[in-house]
Amino acid sequence: MTAMENPDIARVMRHSVQHARDNTYELVDDILKVPATNYTDPGRFKLEVDRIFRRLPLMLAPSCEIPNPGDFKTMEVAGVPILLTRGSDGKVRSFINSCTHRGTNVATAPTGNAKRFTCPYHGWTFGQDGSLLAVAASADFGAVDKSCLSLKALPVAERAGLIFGSVDPNLKLDIDAFLCGYDALLEAFNFKDWHFFSSRILRGPNWKIAYDGYLDFYHLPVLHKDTLNATGMLGNRAHYHAWGPHQRLVAPDRAARELGDKPESEWTDDLVLNGVWTIFPCISIASFNGGGRGVMISQLLPGDKVGESWTRQMYLMENAPSADQEAAAHEQFAFLEVVVRDEDYDTGLRQQRALDHGTLDHVLFGRNEGGAQAFHKWTDRIIAASDEELPALFAGADIVA
Ligand code: FES
Ligand SMILES: [Fe+2]
């Protein structure tokens, strides 16, 4: 199935191409003011961590990072250690990575392949399904009911070649309800068959300062004038399309340049899927071509303090690069690391420092920055919602395709 066979994707692309042909552009109604303290106040930060990162489903990892039976991955989400496993049945499971004896992490390697997990402290052993298989020196330890001492399981689901999960074992929001149908569009990438090429981690400012930078193209020709836009080809406009809080950004000038003069039968997937795909609250997926077709998936997670975040940049390629493509692929991704670290996050850390010192009451998002406007409004709505209110919030979400 081609990307254009998805009716939502086709509508979005025709929309930008038509605007380009008519020389028109869509703006949102008003300028939005956001209190500067949203980026600096520790109380606000705690609410966001508790009500967004420790509650909602998040895109945790691409499926191709743990493609084989027995593969596992450990990570922390807002301080909560988790363990993702792919069982011998091929199913992904998620657990709190905390031994039920005294709580240390049962798995410590970032990724690996294991039939069972032996806790490094006293040697209790757990299966890929989280069950407690054996208590070390069990006769000495005393009788326990092993069936009650499994690792704590967490909600998880694989959709569109991506693994979604929540660190809240009692999550009341269904993962599909959270996705608002957006995963059907992401299916067009076919990520489940892609190759996990490499990853790295960058320190950034408050997670929303960092994420704002993935939600507009306004800054591209300015901040990135010597790097991403060295050719002068990038415009500063984006059209925003939303499935609940998840947004796809399309550059209308690029759509015009690459698609405008071609019949739709020649609109290939790599051209149609360009632009930025975000998954609320902290994922951006953008296409590149270096050593073959690839995407950079950026995953932003809050740090321990309001002014700190950590971004994991993951490089996925449609096909594993051949020996002579590999250098070009490394070069492409090294370039993107430099752009984000030395331009986006360097600027964001300065912005953080200024706001921390009370330089502004509000920051502004223009009529051309509808993506970040929608993101801040969703953030406010979600932190105001109780657990019971969450399903209705997502069920009633607008689809602005
Ligand atoms: S804490 Fe895991 S075996 Fe003791
Ligand atoms: Fe940027």
Side-chain angles (χ1 to χ4, degrees):
M1 179 168 165
T2 67
M4 282 297 285
E5 285 173 70
N6 178 300
D8 278 2
I9 292 178
R11 195 160 46 244
V12 161
M13 294 320 293
R14 287 178 191 137
H15 167 272
S16 276
V17 170
Q18 194 57 49
H19 272 289
R21 284 176 179 155
D22 298 346
N23 200 22
T24 53
Y25 174 47
E26 257 176 21
L27 300 163
V28 298
D29 292 341
D30 292 305
I31 292 173
L32 178 75
K33 280 177 153 187
V34 169
T37 51
N38 281 15
Y39 297 108
T40 61
D41 174 39
R44 163 83 190 197
F45 176 66
K46 185 172 172 357
L47 258 183
E48 291 171 353
V49 168
D50 289 347
R51 297 208 146 183
I52 297 175
F53 290 92
R54 292 201 180 143
R55 182 164 72 154
L56 291 189
L58 305 172
M59 199 295 277
L60 297 173
S63 300
C64 63
E65 193 176 7
I66 50 168
N68 302 310
D71 286 351
F72 71 88
K73 170 182 167 63
T74 61
M75 62 188 292
E76 257 192 28
V77 173
V80 181
I82 63 173
L83 168 64
L84 296 173
T85 66
R86 190 178 294 281
S88 39
D89 55 1
K91 241 181 102 170
V92 170
R93 295 178 178 81
S94 176
F95 306 99
I96 295 189
N97 186 11
S98 185
C99 178
T100 50
H101 177 216
R102 287 239 285 282
T104 196
N105 301 150
V106 294
T108 50
T111 54
N113 186 283
K115 282 210 165 46
R116 56 186 65 83
F117 300 93
T118 301
C119 179
Y121 198 173
H122 312 89
W124 285 24
T125 303
F126 298 86
Q128 290 164 342
D129 63 354
S131 58
L132 175 58
L133 301 176
V135 170
S138 59
D140 298 345
F141 187 81
V144 291
D145 180 354
K146 290 213 294 279
S147 69
C148 299
L149 290 167
S150 301
L151 296 177
K152 188 168 279 183
L154 298 170
V156 70
E158 259 184 310
R159 297 284 182 270
L162 302 169
I163 300 168
F164 292 87
S166 164
V167 300
D168 179 358
N170 305 312
L171 176 73
K172 300 211 171 52
L173 177 66
D174 182 70
I175 291 176
D176 289 314
F178 165 76
L179 286 169
C180 300
Y182 188 58
D183 50 315
L185 286 88
L186 292 171
E187 282 284 0
F189 282 97
N190 197 32
F191 284 137
K192 70 177 176 10
D193 293 333
W194 283 40
H195 168 73
F196 193 93
F197 181 66
S198 74
S199 68
R200 58 199 76 182
I201 289 179
L202 305 180
R203 190 176 82 88
N206 174 271
W207 70 278
K208 298 196 303 311
I209 288 186
Y211 202 53
D212 286 340
Y214 295 88
L215 285 161
D216 78 64
F217 293 160
Y218 189 28
H219 76 284
L220 297 185
V222 184
L223 183 60
H224 303 310
K225 62 184 182 308
D226 300 323
T227 53
L228 283 180
N229 199 34
T231 59
M233 296 288 274
L234 295 180
N236 68 356
R237 291 179 159 185
H239 281 138
Y240 306 96
H241 302 271
W243 290 261
H246 317 297
Q247 301 189 64
R248 191 210 166 161
L249 280 66
V250 180
D253 58 318
R254 184 168 182 174
R257 191 168 64 239
E258 294 179 344
L259 307 176
D261 297 329
K262 287 194 178 115
E264 283 192 16
S265 58
E266 290 174 27
W267 292 13
T268 52
D269 284 9
D270 56 335
L271 297 178
V272 163
L273 297 175
N274 253 323
V276 170
W277 298 75
T278 71
I279 306 173
F280 189 85
C282 62
I283 300 291
S284 152
I285 304 174
S287 293
F288 296 96
N289 210 313
R293 183 179 173 206
V295 295
M296 180 168 81
I297 302 185
S298 305
Q299 177 186 54
L300 285 69
L301 292 171
D304 291 334
K305 297 182 302 239
V306 58
E308 180 183 71
S309 64
W310 298 97
T311 297
R312 184 156 186 257
Q313 295 185 320
M314 293 171 265
Y315 311 115
L316 270 58
M317 302 191 70
E318 186 178 22
N319 300 296
S322 63
D324 38 313
Q325 287 175 315
E326 203 158 313
H330 278 299
E331 202 179 307
Q332 173 69 54
F333 298 135
F335 169 73
L336 294 173
E337 178 189 15
V338 170
V339 169
V340 174
R341 186 191 62 209
D342 295 354
E343 295 178 356
D344 292 297
Y345 288 6
D346 182 70
T347 302
L349 288 162
R350 291 169 198 275
Q351 181 188 348
Q352 181 78 52
R353 191 163 163 76
L355 297 180
D356 279 344
H357 286 81
T359 54
L360 298 178
D361 293 333
H362 291 91
V363 300
L364 300 174
F365 292 93
R367 295 183 59 205
N368 57 342
E369 296 182 281
Q373 291 201 14
F375 162 65
H376 286 276
K377 287 175 185 168
W378 266 99
T379 300
D380 285 349
R381 253 181 246 144
I382 288 169
I383 65 174
S386 67
D387 289 2
E388 290 66 31
E389 287 164 342
L390 268 189
L393 188 60
F394 280 82
D398 288 340
I399 310 295
V400 193

